[in-house]
């Protein structure tokens, strides 16, 4: 993909920047730069209202095809949207999982009925989703999923039993997409199915997990014969692994450019403080700031390169390095932030546990190299799937 943008693209950039300046104020002013990683617990109801505000302006589903209710924007315009959204301080998206993951997956694999029933609620900002993948014994080893689903006596509902963990914003979600084992006796990636499950039922219990940041946007989710209609299975029984992997491919889509602009906002804050407190005069810290700046540019160019491939959820070789690259960079930024703060990093803003923005950044980035596939797993993926090296020896059952 070319790095530059056309005059029409730049006009579009001015349009979204102008819309954000006009709408991200008044009741939404407090949301600027809030709700990102480590801060996702903040202002949930106001951020849901912001999703509806975005929808009213036609700024949801900008990359979805028009037949699915989206705007069908080009890749370059999608890049511009995500960059300008983050540059303006747009809050963390409550609808990200629905719009960025569920929507493209339903467009690619869902039935016409599923698309008709579920896509509008995502687009208009009235229905929110969470992800039911990880389990206590199946984090990075996703194929070890033990949550099970069976048909009830009528054959009309799947009954789901099991536990999911690290489920972002499950307490705010209306729906969860669940990877569950529907074939008794199956193992590995065989016998898994992809189910869409309504969250508002007595058979589902959501329990928050408090983190070292003091927040609890992650949850454990317990399913005790939870019900979902057979019409809510995406694909056929046993096709869950294929669909789950495609969804993870969509996760590495164009919104990665927005993520990087959020990183830029954090780096800008580190630089601002370094200038204010004199840390920028330390040659070693200046060198680390320069490396952080250059590393973020490398992430951007690699993202543009990987977006030049197909947009069907398949992962090009370039995309397979992205999680390892950004998580390592971001974790280093957290350490840089603490060193720039100096002794101030050890002092809380207030009782009992009032963290400032950079303290929260540091603590949250300790998890970056673990969630979403640990760095060790990412290196295996790169070696085996991108480079074609022999698979790592695995213990026999």
């Amino acid at each position: 993909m070319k790095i530059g943008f056309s005059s029409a693209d730049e006009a579009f950039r001015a349009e979204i920047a102008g819309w954000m300046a006009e709408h991200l104020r008044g009741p939404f002013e407090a949301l600027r730069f809030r709700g990102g990683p480590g801060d996702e617990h903040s202002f949930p109801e106001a951020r849901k209202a912001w999703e509806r505000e975005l929808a009213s302006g036609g700024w949801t589903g900008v990359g979805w095809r028009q037949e699915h209710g989206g705007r069908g924007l080009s890749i370059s315009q999608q890049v511009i949207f995500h960059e300008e959204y983050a540059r303006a301080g747009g809050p963390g998206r409550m609808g990200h999982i629905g719009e960025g993951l569920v929507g493209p997956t339903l467009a690619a694999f869902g039935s016409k009925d599923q698309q008709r029933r579920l896509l509008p609620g995502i687009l208009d900002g009235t229905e929110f989703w969470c992800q039911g993948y990880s389990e206590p014994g199946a984090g990075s080893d996703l194929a070890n999923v033990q949550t099970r689903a069976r048909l009830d006596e009528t054959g009309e509902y799947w009954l789901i039993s099991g536990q999911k963990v690290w489920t972002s914003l499950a307490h705010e979600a209306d729906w969860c997409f669940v990877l569950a084992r529907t074939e008794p006796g199956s193992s590995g990636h065989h016998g898994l199915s992809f189910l869409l499950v309504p969250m508002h039922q007595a058979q589902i219990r959501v329990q928050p997990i408090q983190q070292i940041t003091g927040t609890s946007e992650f949850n454990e989710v317990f399913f005790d014969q939870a019900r979902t209609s057979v019409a809510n299975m995406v694909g056929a029984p046993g096709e869950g692994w294929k669909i789950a992997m495609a969804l993870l491919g969509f996760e590495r889509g164009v919104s990665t450019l927005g993520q990087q602009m959020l990183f830029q906002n954090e780096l800008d804050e580190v630089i601002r403080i370094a200038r204010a407190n004199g840390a920028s005069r330390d040659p070693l810290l200046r060198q680390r700031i320069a490396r952080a700046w250059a590393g973020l540019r490398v992430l951007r160019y690699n993202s543009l390169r990987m977006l030049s491939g197909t947009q069907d959820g398949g992962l090009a070789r370039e995309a397979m390095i992205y999680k390892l690259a950004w998580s390592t960079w971001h974790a280093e930024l957290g350490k840089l932030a603490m060193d720039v703060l100096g002794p101030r990093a050890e002092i809380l803003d207030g009782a009992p546990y009032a963290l400032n923005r950079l303290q929260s950044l540091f603590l949250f980035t300790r998890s970056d190299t673990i969630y979403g596939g640990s760095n060790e797993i990412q290196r295996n993926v790169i070696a085996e799937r991108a480079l074609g090296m022999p698979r790592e020896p695995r213990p026999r059952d």
Side-chain angles (χ1 to χ4, degrees), residues 348-367:
L348 293 173
D349 280 353
Y353 194 59
L355 300 171
N356 64 40
R357 183 178 176 188
L358 294 191
Q359 288 169 330
S360 182
L361 166 69
F362 168 72
L363 291 173
F364 190 84
T365 56
R366 300 310 88 198
S367 67

Side-chain angles (χ1 to χ4, degrees), residues 43-372:
F43 306 107
E45 292 306 316
R47 284 164 53 211
K48 287 182 178 180
W50 173 248
E51 292 291 327
R52 297 189 291 273
E53 184 78 5
L54 285 172
S56 69
W59 297 113
T60 55
V62 293
W64 292 15
R65 295 198 300 270
Q66 292 182 358
E67 66 189 89
H68 295 132
R71 293 182 60 170
L73 297 184
S74 66
I75 291 293
S76 62
Q77 288 184 324
Q78 292 177 59
V79 168
I80 289 169
F81 168 76
H82 287 288
E83 288 188 337
E84 292 306 312
Y85 181 89
R87 195 192 312 276
R93 295 287 306 277
M94 291 290 288
H96 165 68
I97 292 177
E99 182 179 332
L101 304 184
V102 178
T105 301
L106 289 180
F109 300 101
S111 66
K112 295 294 184 184
D113 172 68
Q114 290 167 349
Q115 294 168 2
R116 176 188 59 78
R117 287 188 292 113
L118 299 171
L119 293 184
I122 296 172
L123 280 175
D124 62 22
T126 58
E127 291 188 334
F128 299 92
W129 289 76
C130 62
Q131 175 172 292
Y133 274 13
S134 294
E135 298 181 4
S140 293
D141 182 17
L142 186 59
N144 195 34
V145 160
Q146 296 301 308
T147 294
R148 300 184 181 278
R150 63 175 179 83
L151 287 172
D152 72 352
E153 294 78 4
T154 69
E156 296 180 358
Y157 293 93
W158 289 100
L159 302 179
I160 304 160
S161 295
Q163 178 185 357
K164 298 294 182 178
V165 73
W166 309 120
T167 310
S168 297
L169 297 177
H171 57 297
E172 300 288 350
D174 303 295
W175 287 85
C176 182
F177 56 90
V178 175
L179 190 62
R181 199 165 293 283
T182 54
E183 182 182 322
S186 63
S187 62
H189 61 266
H190 302 289
L192 296 172
S193 296
F194 196 95
L195 295 167
L196 311 176
V197 183
M199 290 290 289
H200 302 304
Q201 53 179 300
Q203 294 79 15
I204 296 178
R205 178 167 63 91
V206 177
Q207 180 171 300
I209 301 172
Q210 186 168 355
Q211 301 146 222
I212 58 175
T213 55
T215 64
S216 52
E217 60 264 28
F218 292 135
N219 300 272
E220 293 180 280
V221 182
F222 299 89
F223 300 87
D224 183 12
Q225 300 290 294
R227 294 160 60 91
T228 194
S229 168
V230 294
N232 290 333
M233 176 180 284
V234 181
E239 291 185 340
W241 184 256
K242 176 185 73 173
I243 296 168
M245 291 302 99
L247 181 141
L248 293 178
F250 292 125
E251 190 174 27
R252 288 165 169 80
V254 72
S255 62
T256 58
L257 275 299
Q259 177 195 50
Q260 291 168 27
M261 188 56 68
L262 294 175
F263 292 168
Q264 182 67 60
N265 293 339
E266 293 169 343
L267 178 57
D268 288 345
E269 179 69 2
V270 171
I271 294 171
R272 183 190 69 79
I273 291 174
R275 287 171 172 163
N277 69 7
S280 61
R281 293 193 293 271
D282 183 321
L284 292 179
L285 286 177
R286 282 205 311 273
Q287 186 179 55
R288 288 171 63 189
I289 290 171
R291 282 203 302 266
W293 183 91
L296 190 53
R297 294 306 179 278
V298 172
L299 288 176
R300 172 182 168 79
Y301 295 142
N302 186 70
S303 292
L304 290 171
R305 181 174 60 164
M306 74 187 191
L307 288 170
S308 300
T310 61
Q311 302 297 307
D312 60 358
L315 286 181
R317 286 156 56 101
E318 296 84 0
M320 293 181 188
I321 70 171
Y322 185 68
K323 171 58 170 60
L324 176 65
W326 76 253
S327 62
T328 303
W329 181 91
H330 203 215
E332 288 299 315
L333 181 69
K335 291 190 285 187
L336 173 61
M338 293 297 94
D339 291 339
V340 164
L341 283 173
R344 177 73 181 80
E346 305 295 328
I347 303 172
L348 293 173
D349 280 353
Y353 194 59
L355 300 171
N356 64 40
R357 183 178 176 188
L358 294 191
Q359 288 169 330
S360 182
L361 166 69
F362 168 72
L363 291 173
F364 190 84
T365 56
R366 300 310 88 198
S367 67
D368 280 345
T369 59
I370 300 173
Y371 74 83

